Amino acid sequence: MSDLQERARALDTADELAPLRELFTLDDTVYLDGNSLGALPRHVPARLQEVLTREWGELRIRSWGESGWWTAPERIGDRIAPIVGAAAGQIVVGDSTSVNVFKAVVAATRLAPEGRDEILVDANTFPTDGYIAGSAARMTGHRIVPVAPAEVPDALGPRTAAVLLNHVDYRSGRLHDLPALTAAVHAAGAVAVWDLCHSAGALPVDLDRHGVDLAVGCTYKYLNGGPGSPAYLYVAARHQPVFDSPLPGWTSHADPFAMTPGYEAADGAVRGRVGTPDILSMLALESSLDVWDGVGVEAVRAKSLALTDFFLECVAAYVPEGRVTPVTPAAHAERGSQVALRCEDAEPVMAALIARGVVGDLRRPDVLRFGFTPLYVGFADAERAARALADVLAG
């Protein structure tokens, strides 16, 4: 056994989060794609069976009240809130991330001072965010200004209405400075909207402490909510009385069952709701969040950094020199919970890794991505993945 294997074993033995792995349905595969789809918590199938057989099968429509279906979007939002550093009453769960990006960007332009006609968008954003922001800009008469996050402070001006940024870059794993960038946006009189898809559940976000205005995020990555599980929308309490959603659906009405032709928004984060909640995936997500009971985000972040440090060390020790180049920053303050490696022939390399039981993914043309979910990934996984990568590249 190599020194790195011995160290991995010792690190796993000392890991306070290691017992959480048993809460998930996992096999001998090294699963490093939780930044795309989180693993299944073991108890969720039984909960879904209960929802199907009793709540839907027996109670049927009564479950909207008796089983708490109607209040699920806000109830589950309050469970996500501590993970992203928000007080209760500011997060509503529902719809997709894309739909919530649309709500947030349009609402941000309506919150901004009059006369501002520019929306700054992360130039390297996940494509859908850019597509949605562009559509929102066309509909509201604004102009999109693509800008690298580091250049946002210099790009801000009296015409800036809103800024849409990713907390962690989906391709490189770079962590952007949410506190400083939010402060710069506010100093310019604009509204800050953050996409938390690659940070929530992997590192502290502290939305309230840093004064974020609006935020969106998915729940199927580090929150393990399941494929297509509903996303969430954060509306800071100070903005809720005037939050003006571009999708004023019936479930966000102050009296939804009055069925009146005129729209009157409900109070609070409920204003972010649109249509009938997707109950089956919503309740699967709620059950999945049980794995977070008693888990602190700070401990998750500490393990994430230790895992990615160790993986990079193993890659440097095992992989032939010059075959891969880290894209993810080495500095902890600039790193999310994934490691991206630039590699020639990335696609066949990843296919070979998967065939060897190491599952990551890639971003064309040449980036291998390895996501580290601290709730169930261990140091032995990191060492084995680096060793398998070396074998593939040596062969």
Side-chain angles (χ1 to χ4, degrees):
M1 184 175 292
S2 72
D3 290 343
L4 287 172
Q5 287 175 298
E6 291 282 6
R7 279 183 54 203
R9 177 177 292 183
L11 288 166
D12 281 332
T13 299
D15 175 20
E16 63 178 298
L17 299 181
L20 295 175
R21 183 183 177 95
E22 296 303 315
L23 300 179
F24 293 86
T25 301
L26 295 165
D27 50 27
D28 291 335
T29 299
V30 175
Y31 189 64
L32 302 182
D33 210 5
N35 54 327
S36 285
L37 177 64
L40 171 69
R42 290 183 183 275
H43 65 282
V44 170
R47 171 60 181 140
L48 273 181
Q49 186 64 40
E50 179 186 20
V51 172
L52 290 169
T53 57
R54 173 161 172 75
E55 295 183 12
W56 181 15
E58 297 177 14
L59 296 179
R60 293 177 287 276
I61 200 167
R62 291 163 53 193
S63 277
W64 285 105
E66 293 180 31
S67 300
W69 287 3
W70 184 259
T71 57
E74 296 76 49
R75 182 177 71 245
I76 302 170
D78 284 346
R79 294 195 64 182
I80 293 173
I83 299 173
V84 295
Q90 298 178 99
I91 294 179
V92 63
V93 174
D95 306 309
S96 67
T97 306
S98 300
V99 173
N100 283 315
V101 167
F102 178 75
K103 296 179 205 171
V105 171
V106 174
T109 66
R110 295 172 177 177
L111 287 171
E114 292 186 10
R116 294 176 177 241
D117 63 352
E118 293 183 348
I119 302 171
L120 271 58
V121 176
D122 184 341
N124 299 311
T125 189
F126 187 77
T128 296
D129 284 22
Y131 306 156
I132 295 292
S135 178
R138 292 192 297 275
M139 294 175 63
T140 59
H142 288 70
R143 183 172 74 96
I144 288 291
V145 180
V147 58
E151 298 170 1
V152 164
D154 292 332
L156 292 163
R159 297 179 61 179
T160 308
V163 182
L164 172 63
L165 295 170
N166 292 270
H167 196 190
V168 173
D169 185 278
Y170 80 100
R171 185 185 300 270
S172 69
R174 176 179 290 276
L175 171 64
H176 298 304
D177 192 341
L178 181 149
L181 290 171
T182 300
V185 171
H186 289 166
V191 179
V193 182
W194 285 92
D195 183 329
L196 309 178
C197 286
H198 286 269
S199 59
L203 52 90
V205 180
D206 293 326
L207 292 174
D208 286 353
R209 184 157 68 94
H210 300 309
V212 169
D213 300 297
L214 303 167
V216 302
C218 66
T219 61
Y220 47 77
K221 300 182 190 296
Y222 296 107
L223 297 184
N224 310 297
S229 57
Y232 57 90
L233 170 67
Y234 165 88
V235 182
R238 66 187 180 279
H239 292 312
Q240 290 177 6
V242 292
F243 177 80
D244 186 6
S245 173
L247 296 173
W250 76 284
T251 68
S252 63
H253 195 285
D255 188 0
F257 294 98
M259 304 298 174
T260 56
Y263 180 76
E264 179 185 349
D267 293 329
V270 177
R271 289 182 176 218
R273 291 176 63 155
V274 183
T276 305
D278 187 341
I279 290 299
L280 297 183
S281 60
M282 183 91 61
L283 297 184
L285 165 63
E286 181 175 36
S287 184
S288 296
L289 291 170
D290 290 348
V291 300
W292 283 90
D293 290 347
V295 178
V297 179
E298 292 75 14
V300 169
R301 176 59 169 166
K303 182 177 176 182
S304 165
L305 291 172
L307 277 169
T308 50
D309 277 345
F310 185 66
F311 177 67
L312 286 167
E313 181 182 352
C314 291
V315 168
Y318 292 155
V319 174
E321 186 175 355
R323 296 304 306 275
V324 298
T325 302
V327 177
T328 306
H332 285 182
E334 300 175 4
R335 188 195 308 165
S337 198
Q338 75 178 50
V339 172
L341 302 174
R342 182 161 286 116
C343 175
E344 188 177 350
D345 298 326
E347 194 162 355
V349 168
M350 183 53 69
L353 281 172
I354 292 172
R356 285 167 168 77
V358 175
V359 178
D361 68 7
L362 68 139
R363 288 293 176 260
R364 292 183 290 178
D366 60 355
V367 173
L368 302 169
R369 294 197 320 169
F370 301 93
F372 291 84
T373 304
L375 298 187
Y376 55 76
V377 173
F379 293 90
D381 294 322
E383 187 276 336
R384 178 180 158 193
R387 188 157 33 91
L389 177 60
D391 290 343
V392 169
L393 294 175

